């Protein structure tokens, strides 16, 4: 009950910010439309709809990091969180209360991307459903990144670091906008040492029915999600104590 | 049973003692004001008493519960209205009240009942559907205090509740605070001498983390040998230098 009340409040705070909807859903759909239109005129294999949609969907998840980090950092800067710390809410209520409401938003955003892709020519199959379900572990990684950033950064830093740096890094090193094999070298090695390209490859392999190929990528994503979650929880507890 | 009893309560940072060996007793149902210049240790004291900060040494017992060993029980008996306005800006007034009901684990029925009761008591009915972030400072403070009372606390901490408010809004809030007097124990921190004098049963003056003196407004004026409470405060604080 306590967790539900706090989680409901967080959902309302996110969804009542119109910029959240514009950026998370609108921006992803516009990119999908735009790149599909380019692909129709200048064919590039990377922008074929079954390759592009997973990349755009994962790109949309980076906004979940921004939402959770912004909400937490803003709460930390106001006295509301201080007030809530004096209530019977426990540390786990706070952590789950911030994280759980973003999961359905991430799933809904991903489902909307795949649905739009179907209208743009993505063949409809059960694999789309599997790909949407697989968003669940991937979204945990992005939400944990938000919890981590929100716990250690102030609202301005969140805007700069999550809003600009993280979204760009996760986009450029995801293999969505350019073929990492063409770039090669250190950029490719860095990209494959980070989880973002693995998240995209995971979605691509599920969508294309190559289930065997998905496991190494899934392990990378789960590994990063676990480590990030541990750091995020520790950082949140640290700032909670500091408060 | 005393409402609050602190025993050598101390908060030490690296090279600063924010609260120094505080021994304080507050009776049930009284309004006790903590006064002091900036950095005197008032807010740190309130943060320790409301379990937001762990003391470096000493203890405080609130209605029989220790802030060190019974934090969960302490949190169930207190309400806190922090120095800054602590409301969720994108939630309506009603949703803010319901949020506080929810985090205290109230059932749906009790949530509705308490939200309606507090809305009536604090005259919030006309603005129930307004977003809290759009309210004036005075109404936000009023809502903030209502939220602190949702859990039916036995002890209410009001940390500078009228800071930055205009004269009328301050007068309105004084009426609200007066209406609570005697029903629950209230700990008030303020920079406004008149506020402390008008509202308090007892007043404690802090300086550099230490409690200099405790008494009624009249006792403090008598001690300082002045007729004006503000002069008494200045004399007592300067006299301690």
């Amino acid at each position: 009950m306590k967790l539900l009340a706090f989680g409901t409040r967080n959902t309302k705070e996110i969804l009542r910010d119109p910029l959240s909807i514009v950026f998370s859903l609108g921006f992803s759909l516009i990119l999908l439309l735009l790149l599909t239109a380019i692909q129709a005129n200048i064919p590039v294999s990377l922008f074929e709809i079954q390759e592009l949609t997973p990349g755009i969907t994962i790109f949309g998840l980076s906004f979940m990091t921004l939402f959770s980090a912004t909400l937490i950092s803003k709460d930390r800067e106001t006295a509301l969180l201080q007030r809530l710390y004096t209530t019977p809410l426990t540390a786990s209520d706070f952590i789950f209360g911030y994280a759980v409401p973003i999961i359905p938003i991430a799933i809904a955003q991903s489902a909307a991307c795949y649905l739009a892709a179907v209208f743009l020519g993505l063949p409809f199959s059960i694999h789309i459903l599997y790909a949407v379900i697989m968003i669940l572990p991937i979204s945990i990684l992005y939400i944990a990144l938000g919890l981590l950033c929100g716990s250690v950064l102030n609202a301005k830093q969140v805007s700069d670091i999550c809003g600009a740096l993280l979204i760009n890094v996760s986009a450029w090193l995801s293999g969505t906008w350019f073929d990492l094999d063409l770039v090669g070298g250190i950029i490719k090695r860095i990209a494959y040492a980070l989880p973002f390209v693995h998240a995209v490859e995971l979605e691509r392999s599920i969508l294309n029915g190559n289930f065997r190929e998905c496991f190494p990528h899934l392990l990378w994503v789960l590994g990063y999600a676990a480590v990030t979650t541990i750091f995020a929880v520790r950082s949140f507890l640290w700032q909670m104590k500091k408060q | 049973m005393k409402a609050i009893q602190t025993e050598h309560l101390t908060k030490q940072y690296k090279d600063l003692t924010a609260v120094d060996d505080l021994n304080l007793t507050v009776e049930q149902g009284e309004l006790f004001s903590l006064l002091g210049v900036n950095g005197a240790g008032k807010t740190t004291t309130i943060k320790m008493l409301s379990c937001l900060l762990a003391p470096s040494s000493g203890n405080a017992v609130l209605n029989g519960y220790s802030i060190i060993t019974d934090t969960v029980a302490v949190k169930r008996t207190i309400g806190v209205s922090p120095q800054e306005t602590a409301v969720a800006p994108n939630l309506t007034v009603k949703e803010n009240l319901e949020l506080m009901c929810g985090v205290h684990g109230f059932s749906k029925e009790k949530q509705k009942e308490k939200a309606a009761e507090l809305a009536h008591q604090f005259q919030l009915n006309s603005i129930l559907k307004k977003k809290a972030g759009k309210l004036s400072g005075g109404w936000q403070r009023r809502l903030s205090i209502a939220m602190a009372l949702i859990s039916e606390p036995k002890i209410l901490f009001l940390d500078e509740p009228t800071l930055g408010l205009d004269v009328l809004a301050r007068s309105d809030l004084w009426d609200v605070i007066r209406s609570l007097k005697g029903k629950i124990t209230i700990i008030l921190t303020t920079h406004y001498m008149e506020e402390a004098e008008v509202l308090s049963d007892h007043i404690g003056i802090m300086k550099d983390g230490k409690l200099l003196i405790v008494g009624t407004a009249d006792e403090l004026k008598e001690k300082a040998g002045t007729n004006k409470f503000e002069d008494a405060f200045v004399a007592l604080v300067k006299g301690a230098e």
Side-chain angles (χ1 to χ4, degrees):
Chain A
M1 192 66 197
K2 290 180 287 175
L3 172 62
L4 182 68
F6 183 57
T8 304
R9 174 261 164 180
N10 293 334
T11 307
K12 284 177 181 170
E13 288 281 354
I14 291 169
L15 294 181
R16 285 181 186 174
D17 181 359
L19 282 179
S20 303
I21 308 298
V22 171
F23 273 99
S24 68
L25 190 58
F27 196 41
S28 300
L29 292 180
I30 287 169
L31 279 174
L32 198 61
L33 281 169
L34 196 65
L35 293 172
T36 306
I38 291 172
Q39 162 68 18
N41 293 306
I42 313 161
V44 182
S45 63
L46 197 64
F47 292 164
E48 285 172 5
I49 195 77
Q50 68 273 20
E51 294 293 304
L52 181 66
T53 312
I56 297 286
T57 305
I58 298 300
F59 173 69
L61 290 182
S62 56
F63 290 100
M64 303 301 134
T65 302
L66 182 61
F67 296 160
S68 57
T70 303
L71 182 63
I72 297 164
S73 62
K74 276 188 177 170
D75 278 356
R76 280 176 47 227
E77 287 177 12
T78 67
L80 179 69
L81 203 54
Q82 211 178 81
R83 176 200 285 282
L84 293 173
Y85 285 159
T86 65
T87 68
L89 283 173
T90 61
S92 60
D93 288 332
F94 281 105
I95 290 163
F96 284 110
Y98 277 123
V100 173
I102 299 178
I103 294 174
I105 300 174
I107 300 278
Q109 184 238 35
S110 306
C113 274
Y114 278 108
L115 186 67
V118 168
F119 285 106
L120 293 171
L122 181 70
F124 186 78
S125 77
I126 190 72
H127 296 157
I128 292 177
L129 180 64
Y130 298 154
V132 172
I133 292 169
M134 196 50 81
I135 287 296
L136 190 65
I138 302 171
S139 68
I140 289 169
L141 165 67
Y142 281 88
I143 292 166
L145 272 172
L147 187 60
L148 178 63
C149 293
S151 300
V152 297
L153 306 174
N154 62 37
K156 167 84 172 63
Q157 290 168 328
V158 162
S159 164
D160 292 344
I161 293 175
C162 292
L165 189 65
L166 186 72
I167 288 177
N168 273 296
V169 167
S170 68
W172 294 117
L173 298 180
S174 69
T176 302
W177 313 110
F178 54 83
D179 191 340
L180 288 167
D181 286 329
L182 289 178
V183 182
I186 192 158
I187 298 288
K188 185 182 173 185
R189 283 204 296 278
I190 291 171
Y192 276 91
L194 292 171
F196 312 114
V197 68
H198 295 288
V200 174
E201 293 291 343
L202 174 60
E203 282 289 295
R204 280 177 180 157
S205 56
I206 295 278
L207 187 65
N208 295 322
N210 304 323
F211 298 114
R212 279 188 186 171
E213 283 178 22
C214 81
F215 285 105
H217 299 301
L218 180 60
L219 286 177
W220 271 94
V221 170
L222 288 178
Y224 262 98
V227 171
T228 313
T229 302
I230 290 166
F231 274 108
V233 169
R234 287 180 72 95
S235 304
F236 188 83
L237 295 177
W238 168 76
Q239 71 78 29
M240 196 175 171
K241 200 175 170 188
K242 201 174 143 206
Q243 188 91 6
Chain B
M1 187 170 45
K2 306 289 182 196
I4 298 174
Q5 186 138 31
T6 71
E7 299 150 0
H8 307 289
L9 192 67
T10 302
K11 184 67 190 178
Q12 175 91 43
Y13 295 103
K14 277 176 192 167
D15 50 356
L16 172 81
T17 307
V19 175
D20 192 359
D21 198 31
L22 182 72
N23 291 292
L24 178 72
T25 301
V26 180
E27 300 291 339
Q28 295 285 350
E30 77 168 309
L31 195 154
F32 188 98
S33 287
L34 269 179
L35 298 185
V37 293
N38 287 336
K42 308 181 299 286
T43 298
T44 306
T45 301
I46 285 201
K47 282 187 172 178
M48 284 193 285
L49 295 178
S50 55
C51 301
L52 277 172
L53 262 181
S56 307
S57 62
N59 192 7
V61 177
L62 280 70
N63 284 328
Y65 300 115
S66 160
I67 59 165
I68 295 171
T69 55
D70 308 313
T71 52
V72 175
V74 169
K75 286 179 177 183
R76 286 208 184 99
T77 66
I78 62 168
V80 180
S81 182
Q83 198 172 93
E84 299 158 58
T85 307
V87 297
N90 282 332
L91 263 55
T92 65
V93 169
K94 188 175 177 220
E95 287 168 341
N96 267 284
L97 293 172
E98 287 173 350
L99 166 67
M100 293 311 291
C101 290
V103 299
H104 281 96
F106 291 180
S107 65
K108 281 269 177 197
E109 293 74 35
K110 193 165 181 195
Q111 273 191 32
K112 279 187 183 170
E113 186 190 312
K114 278 308 290 183
E117 183 189 319
L118 266 299
H120 175 72
Q121 186 182 348
F122 284 80
Q123 297 164 10
L124 299 170
N125 279 318
S126 60
I127 53 162
L128 276 179
K129 288 182 180 170
K130 272 196 175 177
K131 281 190 180 173
K134 304 279 182 197
L135 301 176
S136 68
W139 280 104
Q140 286 194 9
R141 291 291 168 90
R142 193 181 271 254
L143 171 61
S144 190
I145 297 175
M147 289 165 72
L149 287 169
I150 280 278
S151 60
E152 299 170 358
K154 292 189 171 60
I155 301 171
L156 175 65
F157 293 99
L158 298 175
D159 196 2
E160 303 198 20
T162 60
L163 187 72
L165 297 186
D166 62 41
V167 178
L168 287 179
R170 183 175 302 157
S171 167
D172 283 348
L173 262 187
W174 284 7
D175 289 341
V176 168
I177 294 168
R178 275 195 198 99
S179 72
L180 299 169
K181 272 187 77 172
K183 295 174 189 162
I184 55 174
T185 307
I186 301 174
I187 308 298
L188 172 83
T189 72
T190 181
H191 278 294
Y192 301 110
M193 299 299 126
E194 189 193 354
E195 185 166 290
E197 186 180 10
V198 168
L199 296 173
S200 315
D201 296 310
H202 285 96
I203 298 166
I205 297 178
M206 291 184 77
K207 183 173 184 280
D208 297 332
K210 287 183 186 296
L211 184 66
L212 296 180
I213 190 167
V214 177
T216 63
D218 288 338
E219 285 168 353
L220 297 183
K221 282 190 284 190
E222 194 182 324
K223 177 90 180 170
T226 69
N227 289 325
K228 270 185 76 184
F229 184 69
E230 188 167 337
D231 293 341
F233 172 79
V234 172
L236 290 166
V237 171
K238 282 193 170 174
E241 283 174 356

